[in-house]
Amino acid sequence: MTTSRQFLPSISSLRALEAFERLGSVTMAADELALTQSAVSRQLQTLESQMNVTLFVREKKRLWLTPAGKVYAAEVRDAFGSLA
């Protein structure tokens, strides 16, 4: 089965999601990925927009995963584990 590339999220946005979920913070994810907080935030926003699913709850300066975000992050983590 061939999947159109336009429907695949970027690896960088998936890495940002996985790091955020595992570490619990945009700051720590940015440090691990050697990116700025802003870059990680943009990647997470882009992923959410591309998927057209609410993955995050944003309140003031806090960010956390919705139930759908937790499920997707676990799927991403499993996929990375399989690839490794």
Side-chain angles (χ1 to χ4, degrees), residues 40-74:
V40 170
S41 291
R42 280 192 310 274
Q43 288 175 347
L44 296 176
Q45 287 172 339
T46 298
L47 178 63
E48 192 172 46
S49 176
Q50 287 175 334
M51 293 189 61
N52 199 27
V53 173
T54 303
L55 298 173
F56 305 96
V57 175
R58 293 168 178 84
E59 188 174 289
K60 298 183 183 178
K61 291 191 175 195
R62 297 227 3 150
L63 180 72
W64 62 91
L65 290 166
T66 63
K70 289 178 184 179
V71 168
Y72 191 61

Side-chain angles (χ1 to χ4, degrees), residues 11-51:
I11 293 295
S12 58
S13 64
L14 295 175
R15 288 181 66 216
L17 173 66
E18 189 279 329
F20 171 77
E21 188 273 335
R22 183 169 35 81
L23 299 170
S25 149
V26 171
T27 300
M28 291 192 300
D31 287 345
E32 179 175 290
L33 299 171
L35 298 170
T36 64
Q37 290 175 323
S38 178
V40 170
S41 291
R42 280 192 310 274
Q43 288 175 347
L44 296 176
Q45 287 172 339
T46 298
L47 178 63
E48 192 172 46
S49 176
Q50 287 175 334
M51 293 189 61

Side-chain angles (χ1 to χ4, degrees), residues 70-82:
K70 289 178 184 179
V71 168
Y72 191 61
E75 291 171 355
V76 169
R77 186 179 342 97
D78 291 346
F80 282 162
S82 294

